[in-house]
């Protein structure tokens, strides 16, 4: 009986030691692979999650970070960066819409349409508003750091798409317009329900 208990205790001890060794090695391997870096959550992490949700619904948005000893300067830099990021998002939206709904359109007509949508929407970037911002202050250096998520009414994107489409006969005839408008309408509805301020 005692031998049986000793064998069981020995097996359990060996198993625990092996698990500890494997866990320790995995932890060291992770540290080595990350080059001394560790994963952290910043205010941008939360804003990126909101941004991903907005982008999945074709709601134009962008994130910016500004830092300065003057809070207003930090806020302005953050807003400008957010608008720049939103311009990139709009470019991605135009490409996604073009790939999904204008496959049967000639490349020249598609380029003209894409450029028309981009120009119209980029003019609206100044009308984008702050959806959420996080302000941090560093007492050591007296600097403000502001993280901002800006959003633009997706109805403006829809109007730009409609205007660019109506100017081209080929797009008017060959693009899957009803499907595209339905997708943009869903984005506008989600914006009004969840994100409009």
């Amino acid at each position: 009986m005692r031998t049986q208990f000793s064998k069981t205790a020995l097996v359990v001890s060996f198993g625990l030691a092996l698990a500890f060794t494997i866990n320790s090695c995995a932890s060291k391997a992770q540290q080595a692979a990350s080059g001394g870096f560790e994963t952290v959550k910043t205010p941008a992490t939360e804003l990126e999650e909101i941004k991903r949700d907005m982008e999945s619904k074709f709601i134009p948005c962008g994130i910016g970070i500004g830092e300065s000893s003057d809070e207003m300067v930090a806020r302005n830099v953050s807003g400008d960066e957010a608008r720049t990021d939103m311009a990139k998002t709009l470019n991605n939206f135009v490409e996604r819409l073009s790939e999904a709904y204008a496959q049967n359109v000639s490349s020249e007509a598609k380029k003209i349409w894409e450029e028309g949508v981009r120009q119209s929407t980029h003019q609206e970037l100044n009308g984008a508003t702050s959806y959420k911002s996080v302000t941090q202050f560093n007492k050591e250096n007296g600097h403000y750091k502001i993280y901002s998520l800006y959003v633009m009414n997706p109805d403006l994107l829809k109007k730009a798409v409609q205007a660019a489409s109506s100017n081209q006969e080929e797009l008017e005839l060959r693009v899957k317009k009803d499907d595209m408008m339905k997708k943009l309408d869903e984005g506008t509805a989600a914006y009004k329900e969840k994100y409009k301020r």
Side-chain angles (χ1 to χ4, degrees), residues 1-10:
M1 173 97 172
R2 192 175 219 171
T3 309
Q4 183 66 24
F5 177 75
S6 296
K7 285 182 183 178
T8 304
L10 182 63

Side-chain angles (χ1 to χ4, degrees), residues 51 54-62 82 85-87 89-90 93 121 125 128-129 131 149-158 184 187-188 191:
K51 182 182 180 203
M54 287 181 176
E55 286 179 338
S56 71
K57 297 171 175 70
F58 284 96
I59 300 172
C61 56
D85 187 41
M86 191 182 307
T89 299
L90 284 165
F93 284 175
T121 52
L125 287 176
T129 57
Y131 175 74
L149 172 63
Y150 271 55
V151 64
M152 185 173 86
N153 187 335
D155 208 36
L156 299 171
L157 173 62
K158 180 183 171 187
L184 294 173
T188 300
Y191 169 78

Side-chain angles (χ1 to χ4, degrees), residues 34 36-46 48-49 136 147:
S34 66
F37 288 94
E38 63 180 83
T39 303
V40 295
K41 264 195 150 178
T42 69
T45 309
E46 177 191 355
E48 286 168 353
E49 288 173 14
Q136 296 180 330
Y147 298 78

